[in-house]
Amino acid sequence: MRLGLPASAALAASLLALAGAVAVALAIGSVAVAPAEVVGALVRGATGRAEGALDAIVWQVRAPRVLGAALVGAGLALAGTAFQAVFRNPLADPYLLGAASGAGFGAAVAIVYGAALPVAFGVTGTAFVCALATVALVVALARRGGHLPVVSLILAGVVLGSSLSAATSFVMLAAHERTAGVLSWLLGSFAFVGPDDLVRLALVVGAALVVGVAARRGFDLLQAGETTARSLGLPVERFKWAVVGAATAVTATAVAAVGVIGFVGLIVPHAVRLAFGPEHARAVPLAAVWGAAFLVLADLTARTVLAPAEIPVGVVTALVGGPFFLLLLRRGARS
Amino acid sequence: MIPRRHPERPDAELALEGVRHAHPGGHEALSGVAIRFERGSWTGIVGPNGAGKTTLLSVAAGLLRPTAGRATLGGRDLRRFSRRALARRIAVVPQRPVLPPGFTVRAVVAMGRAPHLGFFGSERAHDVAAVDQAMRRTEVWAFRARTVDELSGGEAQRVALARALAQEPAWLLLDEPTTHLDLRFQADVLRFARQAARDGLGVVSVLHDLNHAARCDRVAIVHRGRIVADAAPEAALEAGRIEAAFGTAVRIARSDGRTVVLPV
């Protein structure tokens, strides 16, 4: 299963795959654009000389969407890699500590009661604040005298997440005329990504990549257990706090911008470790690249299979991700 | 101000002073332990199961904070060292080392360089040389490209030893290093500990087998959380003391000038 490529070759091949995914996503849609035209439209758009309908489609409609998908995919895969590494749990994902259910609840409240709320953060802002607040509450509940035990953290996250999901359902059903709005947000979509979202995502995901690369050795050390990591020089508690904080910020930013998109943060880190090896010097950057490629293609699928209708991208990631994950598990078990 | 005993060599002496340690359940594993370890010397810690040997080693490594008393390195409390600073000086090989699944042997050994490298730094020539040398000395070189999942218990033990060596520590703390090894590698590890002490490292090893302890420079017998003997092997490994600590009769013999403990 493991490909055994040298690190630089693996990264080059992965970046090439990402470039391919981006090119295909820019070319395909309700109007097909030839590959050469895509490049031309991008160059003209970037230099402020966009002209004609094709340029508008590529530069104004598709490019922001593809960029958004790539950034969110990279961010979620980075957060998933970080959570799986610090919790030493392959089932950990960016939403484990309640970021998704907190954001979902916030968004539902904002969509349904937006006009009546005392503070107007908008859907995005409310989702972000609620995601951070939920994770902070989970961490506070799980804390044991300065320590952050993994089991109590996961338990608190799961329980609080379930309660918030129930609360979200209640809000949705109580205001049944707005249920569709909440539901489509909950399942995730790149249709409404604005320039502000892109700037925010680019900054946060870029920072997350830097933090992830800096933390690569710490991630490796933790795989040998916390005591051994400590004896090899890692300040384990401080490291865990910092990583949980950073990964939560990325997750909350992504969820606030595009809703809840599952499976990316779970399967991409897995697939990357299986294909390229578990050492995080490779796994961290490669997870970002493959997370971006995966979500770009998932979004392409979401907007083309039932065209002109669009299905939520979260539906695509779950439909593709589930079986893929099971396949990886089978292969991993065999090898 | 804490007086420094060896200002010119700040890590020349590792000491436990009045150390008590109670586990969360309330059971006291160490009840007032004072012991000094010196560089260039190999100390064996022996005692019956549950006597507090591993707890003693963990306190000396700075991995376990004593409930009372303190552990010091060159007169300075271990708590005042950062984790990284400590890991550059003290290496620990645990009783049952956990090796991260899927990692290659080389990657695991290279983890020993972590305390020497910055956040963004990568291995330099010296790091690579230290890792290579550690793998050769522990004879894991031949299977450095294999993943650790394919290793036997004894091979895993040697990989953990190689990782400790790659730290280039001043102190080597080994918790039952010979337990999972067959006869040949037991002999190798003992020779290895001897050589490390000769090279100027302070070596402290918890040992199960009293006849392995007989080859140390010094033997400390731990019994019920206290040190009941701390002397050269021929003095410490005395029939009456061993019987009192282990609760079984032994006979002491000499072979080639070395003490041999025989169960009766």
Side-chain angles (χ1 to χ4, degrees):
Chain A
M1 185 69 213
R2 192 171 165 171
L3 300 176
L5 291 174
S8 51
L11 189 60
S14 304
L15 284 171
L16 212 60
L18 173 60
V22 167
V24 170
L26 288 172
I28 296 178
S30 52
V31 179
V33 183
E37 272 304 301
V38 169
V39 176
L42 284 182
V43 171
R44 283 190 295 278
T47 52
R49 293 183 287 108
E51 54 187 35
L54 278 189
D55 281 13
I57 288 173
V58 171
W59 183 248
Q60 283 167 18
V61 180
R62 286 185 199 159
R65 198 174 166 140
V66 168
L67 181 60
L71 287 171
V72 168
L76 290 177
L78 282 170
T81 304
F83 279 127
Q84 287 173 14
V86 294
F87 298 146
R88 280 211 292 154
N89 188 331
L91 289 177
D93 84 341
Y95 305 131
L96 184 74
L97 301 185
S101 37
F105 177 73
V109 168
I111 290 169
V112 174
Y113 303 112
L117 287 180
V119 200
F121 285 134
V123 175
T124 310
T126 314
F128 183 79
V129 169
C130 286
L132 284 187
T134 306
V135 176
L137 186 59
V138 166
V139 170
L141 287 171
R143 240 186 108 157
R144 300 274 180 279
H147 289 263
L148 208 52
V150 168
V151 173
S152 60
L153 201 59
I154 292 175
L155 280 177
V158 168
V159 171
L160 203 62
S162 303
S163 308
L164 280 169
S165 298
T168 306
S169 301
F170 179 81
V171 169
M172 266 164 54
L173 292 171
H176 47 82
E177 73 277 13
R178 300 224 173 98
T179 300
V182 179
L183 198 59
S184 77
W185 191 89
L186 278 182
L187 292 170
S189 171
F190 290 103
F192 312 106
V193 179
D196 287 356
D197 291 325
L198 289 180
V199 171
R200 234 189 336 263
L201 280 169
L203 289 176
V204 172
V205 174
L209 183 58
V210 173
V211 171
V213 169
R216 67 199 186 282
R217 247 177 240 123
F219 291 154
D220 281 354
L221 294 183
L222 277 177
Q223 307 317 302
E226 294 194 357
T227 305
T228 298
R230 222 167 258 136
S231 83
L232 289 167
L234 188 73
V236 170
E237 293 302 325
R238 259 192 309 171
F239 183 80
K240 278 198 290 185
W241 282 104
V243 168
V244 167
T248 299
V250 182
T251 308
T253 308
V255 178
V258 298
V260 181
I261 300 170
F263 271 98
V264 185
L266 180 62
I267 63 164
V268 171
H270 254 283
V272 163
R273 284 196 307 267
L274 279 175
F276 302 106
E279 293 89 355
H280 286 89
R282 290 171 178 214
V284 167
L286 288 175
V289 174
W290 284 103
F294 177 68
L295 209 47
V296 165
L297 292 179
D299 180 51
L300 173 66
T301 312
R303 63 187 162 84
T304 49
V305 278
L306 291 184
E310 200 172 290
I311 57 174
V313 66
V315 171
V316 178
T317 57
L319 281 177
V320 177
F324 183 61
F325 186 59
L326 294 176
L327 189 76
L328 284 180
L329 279 183
R330 291 289 308 162
R331 287 196 153 195
R334 261 206 305 271
S335 66
Chain B
M1 235 356 239
I2 295 159
R4 291 200 176 173
R5 289 187 184 82
H6 303 277
E8 76 288 357
R9 266 171 67 192
D11 48 4
E13 187 183 80
L14 184 60
L16 268 58
E17 300 168 8
V19 164
R20 291 174 172 276
H21 188 269
H23 289 302
H27 164 72
E28 198 170 56
L30 295 178
S31 325
V33 166
I35 190 165
R36 286 180 194 295
F37 305 111
E38 273 158 22
R39 293 276 297 271
S41 171
W42 176 18
T43 308
I45 311 278
V46 299
N49 292 331
K53 305 184 294 286
T54 296
T55 308
L56 191 157
L57 205 69
S58 299
V59 170
L63 293 173
L64 205 57
R65 211 170 260 189
T67 357
R70 59 182 201 143
T72 61
L73 184 58
R76 188 172 162 214
D77 198 315
L78 289 189
R79 273 178 270 189
R80 295 179 54 210
F81 288 86
S82 73
R83 282 277 159 222
R84 270 167 67 92
L86 221 45
R88 285 196 292 261
R89 293 166 171 83
I90 304 177
V92 186
V93 179
Q95 209 174 100
R96 275 179 290 271
V98 181
L99 301 182
F103 281 61
T104 63
V105 167
R106 203 229 168 245
V108 171
V109 177
M111 285 180 178
R113 299 309 296 166
H116 298 273
L117 298 169
F119 277 138
F120 295 99
S122 47
E123 288 177 18
R124 289 162 180 278
H126 177 74
D127 302 302
V128 174
V131 171
D132 284 358
Q133 203 198 354
M135 290 195 294
R136 287 182 196 282
R137 282 183 69 183
T138 51
E139 291 182 46
V140 305
W141 179 260
F143 48 89
R144 65 189 180 282
R146 279 181 18 209
T147 65
V148 295
D149 318 53
E150 305 162 50
L151 304 181
S152 70
E155 288 168 337
Q157 189 87 24
R158 276 147 58 206
V159 170
L161 187 58
R163 181 176 62 197
L165 276 189
Q167 283 172 258
E168 296 187 309
W171 296 88
L172 195 55
L173 274 46
L174 311 167
D175 197 353
E176 300 201 5
T178 51
T179 304
H180 295 285
L181 302 181
D182 58 31
L183 218 48
R184 187 203 141 195
F185 284 113
Q186 284 187 11
D188 282 353
V189 165
L190 295 175
R191 255 197 304 278
F192 176 84
R194 161 62 54 216
Q195 185 57 46
R198 210 170 276 152
D199 291 344
L201 272 75
V203 183
V204 182
S205 54
V206 170
L207 291 166
H208 207 67
D209 189 329
L210 296 179
N211 292 313
H212 291 168
R215 302 172 57 165
C216 298
D217 296 312
R218 216 172 111 208
V219 174
I221 303 178
V222 183
H223 182 42
R224 291 193 183 136
R226 291 175 196 282
I227 293 189
V228 294
D230 178 7
E234 53 277 14
L237 296 173
E238 184 259 320
R241 277 212 194 90
I242 295 173
E243 284 174 23
F246 287 83
T248 180
V250 294
R251 199 162 62 79
I252 306 292
R254 308 267 162 208
S255 164
D256 291 342
R258 195 183 286 156
T259 304
V260 179
V261 182
L262 302 162
V264 177

